Amino acid sequence: MMRVPKALPALNGPTLHRLALTTYQKSPAVVRKLHVTTPRHTDGVYQALTEMRVKTPYIEALRKQRQEGIDPTKKGDTPATPPDRDLTPKKMSESFHRVVLPLARDPWLMDNYLNADGHIRLGTIFMDLDALSGVIAYKHTGESVTTVTAAVDRITINHPLKELCDLELSGQVTFSTGRSSMEISLQVAKAPEEGADVKREDVLMTCAFTMVSLDPSTKKPVAIAPLQVETAEERHLFELGEKNYNSKKALAKTALRKQTPNDLESDLIHAMWLKHLEYHDPNMSTRKPDNVVYMDSTRMQSSQIMQPQYRNRHNFMIFGGFLLKQTFELAFCCAASFSHTRPTFVSLDPSTFDNPVPVGSVLYLTATVAYTDPPLVTAAGDQQAGSGGDRQDSDVTDGPADSKYTRVQIRIDSKVRNIEHGETKPTGQFNYTFLVEKDIKVMPRTYSEFMVWVDARRRAERIRVSIEGMESSGGTGQLQDDGKKDRVTE
């Protein structure tokens, strides 16, 4: 005979609580631990570098800022830098710093550095490099100044990684004359055995960062200690930094905002304009080839609110490494979308940080395919671009057809707006070069796009001349990989 259960009494809040407590006490076996692994705190940067960059919890810094009523993102009137700072010349070795990423030994750490294919994400390495450059800069300047990333002069792949391994990041200040700026030379290499030196063939990439020291209050440049050069190798590194410094000053004078395109560049622009007319002339049989893509259709954009997890050591600005990571990944996506292939990173070409990015602001990034090599039109006997002088005698012709590989230069323009979107500032321009296994070309149509194309072409020509000069000198420097070899990086 079936028993009918008695009606259950209505269960209010306290009754439910007692019932849950009784069940918990009678059934201890159902208790589960919520944490079974050691928590790993990271903002995408190797923890040892994050600890050197971030000194104060954001909530504490925010409370202090509100109590004092001072907006650290605004310029003050009174300098905060001590007038009696020690500016005694320093040795290069005093700023040297080395960090080993134990990627092969720590699979959980590797999680932060791998993409879906199990390859190392270069954008995350770029974050680490910027964080390391900050550590090195403060070893040279001390903590009484604010030091920011002003430019990345170049990041190149020298010898691609063929296996996942521990990586050694190292660098030092290699150029400083006592003004506000310094050049920091860095390298990423396969970590050597304890006590051994890095082998030349184990160097993955080399780069140079330009850092500038500012007064924490007025945000104006302040003097830093000059370098004391002691050895022939240090003299060579110092002279390279001095050469880079002078080259950047000379290039600024021939920028397209200050000078018109030279004669050869004007001829190339005219030739592309004529091609555009041919493609749309109903009386001509010429039509735009399928592998020619208009520049305006290559654009890709992103927007993101800036969170405090990616702040610099001064708490209220975003550190440059985060911007490098974001711009690299957008550039990678743009190159892939343009070519419909998987691009291989070749280099981060000279790029600038123009204005700081405040925590809480909105960052807007725009990626554009600025130049392809081989180009749509070219000139025989082309002179070095960007010289601003008269061209040599040369004929403008079509670029080579049926090229197996194409170098794609992606330009990222960044700007920042406050959350109310009442103020907009440009924050920098970043230039990436990728190699794709496809014959594809970009074609500008408007005058603004032609200027983007010319600027990118000048950059490509300067890099070509630099590489050829290095090779003709016997390869004393680190040679650049062409992007065609197999690798375990993006």
Side-chain angles (χ1 to χ4, degrees):
M1 185 174 180
M2 183 180 295
R3 283 190 175 184
V4 179
K6 295 181 180 180
L8 291 174
L11 298 178
N12 55 23
T15 303
L16 282 173
H17 177 74
R18 287 195 299 272
L19 180 60
L21 184 60
T22 302
T23 303
Y24 174 82
Q25 291 172 342
K26 289 183 178 180
S27 306
V30 302
V31 178
R32 295 167 53 195
K33 293 183 178 180
L34 298 179
H35 296 284
V36 294
T37 59
T38 304
R40 296 174 183 271
H41 303 289
T42 179
D43 57 359
V45 178
Y46 185 46
Q47 188 171 353
L49 293 171
T50 298
E51 291 169 352
M52 296 180 202
R53 190 188 87 239
V54 180
K55 301 288 188 180
T56 307
Y58 182 73
I59 190 63
E60 293 182 11
L62 185 62
R63 287 169 180 165
K64 181 179 178 182
Q65 180 258 325
R66 288 174 174 173
Q67 289 172 359
E68 295 177 350
I70 300 175
D71 186 350
T73 65
K74 303 296 184 183
K75 297 179 181 180
D77 297 326
T78 306
T81 306
D84 56 346
R85 282 190 308 128
D86 182 13
L87 298 179
T88 305
K90 293 187 175 182
K91 302 177 181 178
M92 283 190 187
S93 57
E94 292 183 65
S95 64
F96 179 82
H97 198 82
R98 168 182 178 269
V99 172
V100 174
L101 304 181
L103 300 181
R105 291 174 285 155
D106 189 344
W108 286 110
L109 176 64
M110 183 77 85
D111 267 11
N112 295 320
Y113 289 83
L114 290 186
N115 64 13
D117 292 326
H119 291 175
I120 292 178
R121 298 168 57 196
L122 290 176
T124 311
I125 298 294
F126 295 164
M127 289 180 73
D128 284 346
L129 285 172
D130 187 82
L132 177 61
S133 69
V135 172
I136 293 169
Y138 279 104
K139 290 180 75 171
H140 184 80
T141 65
E143 299 285 342
S144 61
V145 300
T146 296
T147 301
V148 298
T149 307
V152 182
D153 294 330
R154 196 128 193 272
I155 298 179
T156 58
I157 298 292
N158 303 110
H159 301 92
L161 282 183
K162 297 181 180 178
E163 61 181 356
L164 298 176
C165 60
D166 293 350
L167 295 178
E168 178 192 271
L169 280 62
S170 61
Q172 61 188 357
V173 176
T174 52
F175 178 71
S176 173
T177 61
R179 297 190 177 184
S180 61
S181 66
M182 71 195 95
E183 181 174 287
I184 297 175
S185 298
L186 304 167
Q187 75 173 25
V188 180
K190 182 178 179 179
E193 297 292 334
E194 190 66 31
D197 294 329
V198 173
K199 299 177 182 178
R200 177 185 171 117
E201 61 268 22
D202 288 339
V203 175
L204 166 63
M205 66 175 69
T206 55
C207 59
F209 281 68
T210 298
M211 312 291 285
V212 174
S213 292
L214 309 173
D215 182 276
S217 173
T218 63
K219 308 297 188 290
K220 293 181 179 179
V222 294
I224 59 175
L227 274 179
Q228 177 182 332
V229 179
E230 296 182 315
T231 66
E233 182 182 359
E234 290 181 353
R235 170 60 59 186
H236 175 66
L237 292 172
F238 187 89
E239 289 175 351
L240 283 178
E242 187 174 33
K243 181 180 178 181
N244 290 340
Y245 176 78
N246 292 331
S247 295
K248 285 186 286 187
K249 290 180 66 176
L251 287 174
K253 297 177 181 179
T254 60
L256 288 170
R257 286 182 175 270
K258 296 183 178 180
Q259 287 191 10
T260 59
N262 61 36
D263 290 343
L264 172 58
E265 292 164 345
S266 297
D267 288 350
L268 292 171
I269 291 172
H270 187 258
M272 280 191 289
W273 176 70
L274 290 177
K275 276 190 170 295
H276 177 68
L277 294 181
E278 289 179 10
Y279 294 159
H280 292 80
D281 189 341
N283 298 315
M284 298 185 68
S285 59
T286 307
R287 290 294 177 265
K288 183 175 73 67
D290 292 338
N291 69 332
V292 174
V293 181
Y294 289 125
M295 186 181 290
D296 58 357
S297 67
T298 70
R299 290 195 182 96
M300 187 174 287
Q301 295 179 309
S302 72
S303 59
Q304 185 177 359
I305 191 166
M306 296 293 96
Q307 304 293 0
Q309 287 82 0
Y310 302 104
R311 66 193 183 277
N312 62 18
R313 70 170 58 201
H314 305 288
N315 294 306
F316 297 100
M317 296 293 179
I318 299 299
F319 93 105
F322 178 74
L323 301 181
L324 287 178
K325 173 178 173 290
Q326 297 303 107
T327 55
F328 168 80
E329 294 187 350
L330 182 61
F332 183 91
C333 293
C334 183
S337 173
F338 169 69
S339 64
H340 294 273
T341 65
R342 186 175 187 85
T344 299
F345 172 78
V346 175
S347 63
L348 166 60
D349 304 318
S351 302
T352 57
F353 296 80
D354 298 329
N355 284 297
V357 178
V359 170
S361 62
V362 181
L363 178 70
Y364 290 85
L365 302 177
T366 301
T368 306
V369 176
Y371 186 74
T372 49
D373 187 13
L376 182 62
V377 295
T378 187
D382 194 358
Q383 68 174 25
Q384 180 178 350
S387 63
D390 294 333
R391 67 176 175 90
Q392 298 173 348
D393 291 334
S394 57
D395 295 324
V396 174
T397 62
D398 291 348
D402 299 326
S403 174
K404 181 179 180 181
Y405 293 97
T406 302
R407 286 198 176 202
V408 180
Q409 191 177 137
I410 308 293
R411 167 172 165 162
I412 305 283
D413 293 294
S414 65
K415 63 181 180 182
V416 66
R417 292 176 174 170
N418 56 10
I419 201 66
E420 297 82 10
H421 284 62
E423 182 182 31
T424 303
K425 287 184 178 180
T427 57
Q429 179 183 317
F430 304 85
N431 306 287
Y432 294 90
T433 299
F434 296 89
L435 185 77
V436 299
E437 192 172 350
K438 190 172 185 178
D439 180 24
I440 189 167
K441 306 180 191 305
V442 70
M443 183 177 188
R445 285 195 282 188
T446 67
Y447 189 79
S448 294
E449 290 176 353
F450 279 122
M451 294 303 99
V452 169
W453 186 89
V454 168
D455 180 61
R457 177 181 174 276
R458 289 181 176 185
R459 192 175 298 107
E461 285 296 306
R462 287 195 296 269
I463 292 168
R464 178 184 60 79
V465 170
S466 174
I467 293 174
E468 289 176 354
M470 186 182 299
E471 292 173 345
S472 64
S473 65
T476 55
Q478 292 286 357
L479 297 180
Q480 179 182 335
D481 172 65
D482 60 7
K484 298 177 184 178
K485 302 174 184 176
D486 291 336
R487 64 203 62 218
V488 293
T489 54
E490 287 175 318

